[in-house]
Amino acid sequence: MGLPALEFSDCCLDSPHFRETLKSHEAELDKTNKFIKELIKDGKSLVSALKNLSSAKRKFADSLNEFKFQCIGDAETDDEMCIARSLQEFATVLRNLEDERIRMIENASEVLITPLEKFRKEQIGAAKEAKKKYDKETEKYCGILEKHLNLSSKKKESQLQEADSQVDLVRQHFYEVSLEYVFKVQEVQERKMFEFVEPLLAFLQGLFTFYHHGYELAKDFNDFKTQLTISIQNTRNRFEGTRSEVESLMKKMKENPLEHKTISPYTMEGYLYVQEKRHFGTSWVKHYCTYQRDSKQITMIPFDQKSGGKGGEDESVTLKSCTRRKTDSIEKRFCFDVEAVDRPGVITMQALSEEDRRLWMEAMDGREPVYNSNKDSQSEGTAQLDSIGFSIIRKCIHAVETRGINEQGLYRIVGVNSRVQKLLSILMDPKTASETETDICAEWEIKTITSALKTYLRMLPGPLMMYQFQRSFIKAAKLENQESRVSEIHSLVHRLPEKNRQMLQLLMNHLANVANNHKQNLMTVANLGVVFGPTLLRPQEETVAAIMDIKFQNIVIEILIENHEKIFNTVPDAPLTNAQLHLSRKKSSDSKPPSCSERPLTLFHTMQSPEKQEPRNSLIDSSLESVISSNANSILNSSSSLQPNMNSSDPDLDVLKPTRPNSLSPRKPASCFANACLLIVNQERPPESKPNFTPLAILAHVFGAIQPYAHLIHVQRLIPHQARRSSS
């Protein structure tokens, strides 16, 4: 039930019911006053707590912003850069949120505390003052009334009238005060409905604005959160693969440390104790020593592993001789003496073990230590990029694409090793290799087929993308710009040997097809990169640093899959010259170099001095010179106008000089060759009625015809020399 209304007419009666009603209103005002007082106190505590919370969150954000991730390796993947940037992004979001909180806190005092205090002081305080006045007037009126009623009726009429008049004035004033008090009480009761609640609403509105700002920040942060989630998952997947690789390397190192010794620029390095003479005797000081065989330089760095600090200055000496120290000549074991060219006396050193001393002795005697590069665990020489190899890969790809393209975990789930080896032995059998490309029976599980494909690629003598290009591909993946990465990898792919590139194209087309069905098989481009990166681009040296670069190997594979059509079907923007391409492919190929008849014939335009041109090859027949000299001059003169930029400084004109066999008959092949050239030139010489048939075309025909005789003649020297001889 609500409070009963205070009627102004009751002020005149001043009945007990009116007084009870008035007391109930007064009690409600006291209750409201206490509540507002507590609310103001709690509001101030809330504002203080919000300030402390904001300060703590800002400090937390500052800590996040100051920390910088340091990844292993000399570059970071896009995922790692996203994760490294995440702390700064978190800090920015928190700071932005706290800025809005500070605005809310500053407004809280204005919109909540101040209005409540004002209402309590001005309205409830005024009601209290009116009550005091009302109580005072009540007491005064009641006192005068009682005194007036006690007057004797025997007093003079004039005195009685004066007394009546005075009582009427007091009564009238009491009624006025009573009316004003009732009006104020009811006014305060009505005002509190809006003047008390309105500040609370304004405070809540500020609170809602703060939370809405947080919601908007969360929406803006959602894209980065999604990207970060993907990056974290990719990094976790790479970590799992990298961890197994590092753990495997650690186990190998535990079993045989020397087998997996890192290739070092030094012939030998490690800790040695060096005997030093002191005032009180001799002492053995631990040094980290390096020895370079070519320069015979020994560098000694005093270093204490326990304290982690250097114990003095570095010293370098040039080795003169090294002699094993006999055990009976010194109390210490594993010692040897070193004599230096630039230091008098003998330096006595103590190795850590007998084996360690043997290695130091061998190194200083000029014998290299045994360094083991990373050898493929699979048997080498059994898998090749030949017709059988291409047949095996095509059969596996066909089986996967026709029967298992939608299998979940395709290429990630491995098959049973015994069945994989059995399938490979069948596929590598020359009898079955000549069969059709689609003859892998349905009895073989898809996971067995995919494992066989990966195993065959690992069994190749070297990775499909070549050891010598491994670092170049990794560098390309570390470029900041995605377009630059694609362009550099595009160029590198076209430097691979032809068969490697064909096999890689076959595989990437297939993996792109697998990735297109990732909604069913769950194998995205990133997942395929994790699976095939270490297989196609494994490093030659097995080290922790190489394992840390696996993530960039994966990125290379991702780029190849996503851009396979551009990379394999178009020429790079800055194509390599034929000579450079030939150089790179010849250097990178593990197969036997091509025969002389397979080598390209190219003009060598570098002008040489006449003195160096005079000693000509004795195998060049004079008849050949007479035939070519008259035509070469006109050919070269006409071609010079078409190719003005062909000079010795142009790198695109560098070629390989074909290697000439030593066992050649001296005259007869050259004579036959000369007659053949003469016949070709006479037959292909253009008549006057065909002006479009240029001398360059004649030259092309000549070179096409003499291709099988490339091993008989040094064309690079012959043509320019004959051209100069004719022109002179």
Side-chain angles (χ1 to χ4, degrees):
M1 293 294 292
L3 295 172
L6 291 170
E7 296 293 341
F8 289 122
S9 58
D10 292 339
C11 294
C12 297
L13 296 175
D14 198 14
S15 63
H17 176 70
F18 170 74
R19 287 284 179 171
E20 289 296 328
T21 304
L22 190 58
K23 283 184 178 179
S24 64
H25 279 268
E26 291 171 350
E28 177 63 23
L29 287 179
D30 287 339
K31 181 181 176 182
T32 302
N33 183 49
K34 290 180 181 179
F35 177 70
I36 292 177
K37 189 176 181 180
E38 289 295 324
L39 192 63
I40 292 173
K41 180 181 177 182
D42 293 340
K44 290 181 177 179
S45 298
L46 176 60
V47 169
S48 178
L50 289 175
K51 286 182 178 179
N52 292 334
L53 175 62
S54 180
S55 177
K57 284 194 172 182
R58 282 186 179 277
K59 187 175 180 182
F60 179 71
D62 291 340
S63 299
L64 289 178
N65 190 58
E66 289 172 2
F67 184 78
K68 307 293 183 185
F69 279 107
Q70 294 294 334
C71 297
I72 299 176
D74 56 355
E76 298 175 348
T77 63
D78 290 342
D79 293 328
E80 287 174 339
M81 284 188 283
C82 180
I83 292 174
R85 195 175 72 250
S86 63
L87 297 187
Q88 283 68 44
E89 292 288 339
F90 295 159
T92 301
V93 170
L94 288 175
R95 284 173 174 170
N96 202 328
L97 195 61
E98 292 316 305
D99 289 342
E100 186 64 28
R101 191 195 301 274
I102 289 297
R103 284 190 286 270
M104 180 195 69
I105 292 171
E106 291 173 350
N107 291 334
S109 178
E110 182 179 348
V111 302
L112 178 65
I113 307 299
T114 302
L116 288 178
E117 287 181 338
K118 182 179 179 181
F119 176 77
R120 178 172 167 269
K121 291 177 180 178
E122 293 181 0
Q123 301 301 324
I124 298 179
K128 285 185 176 183
E129 291 296 325
K131 182 180 183 307
K132 290 179 182 179
K133 185 176 181 180
Y134 174 69
D135 291 340
K136 183 178 180 181
E137 290 298 325
T138 300
E139 185 179 353
K140 179 180 179 181
Y141 169 67
C142 291
I144 290 176
L145 183 62
E146 289 176 2
K147 183 178 179 181
H148 178 67
L149 293 176
N150 289 330
L151 287 176
S152 174
S153 59
K154 295 179 178 181
K155 285 186 179 279
K156 293 179 180 181
E157 187 63 27
S158 60
Q159 291 178 341
L160 292 175
Q161 288 180 357
E162 184 180 357
D164 290 341
S165 177
Q166 185 178 4
V167 169
D168 290 340
L169 289 174
V170 172
R171 181 186 292 113
Q172 182 64 32
H173 186 67
F174 169 70
Y175 289 158
E176 291 177 359
V177 171
S178 178
L179 287 171
E180 290 176 358
Y181 178 52
V182 169
F183 175 77
K184 190 63 179 178
V185 168
Q186 291 194 124
E187 180 187 20
V188 174
Q189 292 288 18
E190 293 299 320
R191 276 180 176 272
K192 76 176 183 181
M193 301 300 291
F194 56 89
E195 288 197 3
F196 169 43
V197 176
E198 191 175 32
L200 291 173
L201 177 60
F203 173 73
L204 287 177
Q205 184 62 35
L207 199 62
F208 294 152
T209 302
F210 165 71
Y211 286 123
H212 180 73
H213 183 73
Y215 171 74
E216 292 295 329
L217 281 177
K219 283 205 312 185
D220 295 340
F221 188 70
N222 193 52
D223 291 340
F224 179 77
K225 183 185 72 174
T226 303
Q227 180 186 0
L228 180 61
T229 303
I230 296 172
S231 296
I232 290 173
Q233 186 59 42
N234 290 341
T235 306
R236 178 179 283 109
N237 293 340
R238 289 168 184 157
F239 163 75
E240 291 172 358
T242 303
R243 185 182 183 280
S244 61
E245 294 285 341
V246 174
E247 188 175 13
S248 173
L249 177 60
M250 180 185 67
K251 290 179 179 178
K252 292 178 183 178
M253 294 292 290
K254 285 181 178 179
E255 294 170 0
N256 196 342
L258 295 179
E259 281 288 324
H260 298 272
K261 190 173 181 181
T262 305
I263 296 178
S264 169
Y266 302 106
T267 308
M268 186 66 184
E269 60 181 322
Y271 282 101
L272 292 171
Y273 285 88
V274 180
Q275 187 182 47
E276 295 184 357
K277 294 182 179 181
R278 304 288 175 87
H279 296 293
F280 51 84
T282 59
S283 63
W284 294 84
V285 181
K286 197 172 189 179
H287 289 69
Y288 190 81
C289 301
T290 60
Y291 176 68
Q292 180 59 262
R293 178 177 176 270
D294 295 337
S295 61
K296 292 187 176 294
Q297 285 290 317
I298 304 174
T299 302
M300 297 177 288
I301 306 172
F303 190 82
D304 185 7
Q305 292 168 287
K306 291 184 290 184
S307 64
K310 292 176 64 174
E313 297 296 326
D314 301 354
E315 182 181 4
S316 293
V317 296
T318 303
L319 178 68
K320 181 179 180 182
S321 65
C322 178
T323 308
R324 184 185 301 274
R325 190 70 177 263
K326 294 183 178 180
T327 306
D328 55 2
S329 65
I330 193 170
E331 294 181 357
K332 299 283 187 178
R333 303 170 65 196
F334 320 131
C335 293
F336 57 94
D337 292 336
V338 171
E339 289 187 70
V341 175
D342 46 2
R343 175 174 165 173
V346 175
I347 306 173
T348 301
M349 297 181 173
Q350 182 185 26
L352 304 183
S353 65
E354 184 62 39
E355 176 66 15
D356 189 39
R357 178 170 69 171
R358 183 185 67 80
L359 293 174
W360 278 102
M361 294 292 296
E362 287 182 357
M364 292 185 179
D365 285 342
R367 288 170 291 185
E368 293 285 347
V370 180
Y371 294 129
N372 279 337
S373 298
N374 178 33
K375 299 292 184 180
D376 296 334
S377 57
Q378 303 293 339
S379 59
E380 295 185 3
T382 57
Q384 297 292 335
L385 291 177
D386 51 11
S387 59
I388 295 178
F390 276 88
S391 173
I392 291 171
I393 299 300
R394 288 194 179 99
K395 289 177 183 178
C396 292
I397 289 175
H398 183 271
V400 171
E401 293 190 347
T402 54
R403 293 198 280 123
I405 194 69
N406 292 327
E407 275 203 16
Q408 290 189 1
L410 190 66
Y411 285 106
R412 184 183 287 277
I413 300 175
V414 297
V416 180
N417 186 56
S418 59
R419 289 184 59 78
V420 173
Q421 295 299 329
K422 183 177 180 181
L423 175 59
L424 275 177
S425 64
I426 294 174
L427 293 175
M428 295 174 69
D429 188 348
K431 297 179 181 178
T432 60
S434 60
E435 298 176 4
T436 61
E437 302 290 342
T438 61
D439 59 351
I440 296 183
C441 300
E443 66 180 80
W444 297 100
E445 296 175 308
I446 293 298
K447 64 181 182 180
T448 304
I449 298 173
T450 56
S451 297
L453 184 148
K454 291 187 294 182
T455 304
Y456 189 85
L457 293 174
R458 285 194 293 266
M459 290 170 61
L460 294 172
L464 192 60
M465 297 172 72
M466 312 298 291
Y467 283 134
Q468 47 266 54
F469 291 113
Q470 197 262 353
R471 292 307 308 167
S472 298
F473 277 111
I474 295 297
K475 283 185 178 180
K478 292 179 180 179
L479 295 175
E480 294 183 2
N481 184 277
Q482 179 69 13
E483 185 178 348
S484 300
R485 297 178 193 171
V486 176
S487 177
E488 185 65 20
I489 291 175
H490 189 184
S491 176
L492 288 169
V493 166
H494 283 263
R495 293 175 60 190
L496 292 172
E498 187 68 25
K499 289 185 177 180
N500 293 60
R501 191 168 69 255
Q502 290 176 358
M503 178 67 80
L504 189 62
Q505 181 178 7
L506 179 66
L507 188 61
M508 290 303 116
N509 290 340
H510 167 60
L511 295 183
N513 192 14
V514 173
N516 290 337
N517 294 270
H518 70 274
K519 292 184 178 179
Q520 292 78 28
N521 57 39
L522 305 182
M523 293 302 292
T524 61
V525 172
N527 292 338
L528 291 172
V530 171
V531 173
F532 281 92
T535 298
L536 302 179
L537 203 60
R538 63 184 182 273
Q540 187 170 9
E541 184 183 358
E542 190 175 8
T543 63
V544 174
I547 293 173
M548 290 298 113
D549 276 341
I550 287 178
K551 54 197 174 188
F552 294 104
Q553 299 173 13
N554 304 343
I555 291 174
V556 172
I557 304 304
E558 292 175 24
I559 292 174
L560 289 175
I561 296 174
E562 292 175 340
N563 304 273
H564 67 283
E565 292 185 356
K566 173 184 177 181
I567 289 176
F568 293 101
N569 298 331
T570 63
V571 178
D573 294 337
L576 298 170
T577 64
N578 290 335
Q580 290 170 333
L581 193 61
H582 181 68
L583 277 170
S584 62
R585 290 183 183 174
K586 181 180 179 182
K587 183 177 179 182
S588 61
S589 176
D590 291 338
S591 59
K592 188 173 69 175
S595 63
C596 295
S597 62
E598 296 172 335
R599 291 175 179 150
L601 283 172
T602 317
L603 282 176
F604 187 78
H605 293 271
T606 303
M607 302 301 293
Q608 300 180 7
S609 62
E611 291 79 10
K612 294 183 179 179
Q613 287 293 341
E614 282 303 320
R616 299 199 308 270
N617 195 316
S618 60
L619 295 180
I620 305 301
D621 190 80
S622 59
S623 61
L624 173 65
E625 296 177 9
S626 62
V627 169
I628 296 181
S629 60
S630 60
N631 294 290
N633 189 28
S634 60
I635 290 172
L636 293 178
N637 289 335
S638 62
S639 63
S640 62
S641 61
L642 298 175
Q643 298 177 342
N645 294 327
M646 294 175 63
N647 52 60
S648 59
S649 62
D650 191 344
D652 289 349
L653 299 179
D654 295 340
V655 296
L656 284 176
K657 292 185 179 181
T659 304
R660 209 161 31 92
N662 292 328
S663 56
L664 295 177
S665 57
R667 285 267 176 192
K668 187 175 181 180
S671 300
C672 296
F673 166 66
N675 294 331
C677 287
L678 179 61
L679 179 61
I680 292 168
V681 172
N682 290 332
Q683 288 178 346
E684 297 294 340
R685 185 183 301 277
E688 295 299 325
S689 60
K690 296 181 180 180
N692 293 331
F693 195 50
T694 64
L696 285 177
I698 300 176
L699 188 62
H701 281 287
V702 172
F703 285 162
I706 65 176
Q707 179 73 20
Y709 302 93
H711 63 285
L712 299 177
I713 175 173
H714 215 309
V715 179
Q716 290 91 333
R717 295 181 58 196
L718 173 65
I719 298 298
H721 175 68
Q722 292 296 333
R724 287 195 308 277
R725 182 178 176 185
S726 299
S727 62
S728 61

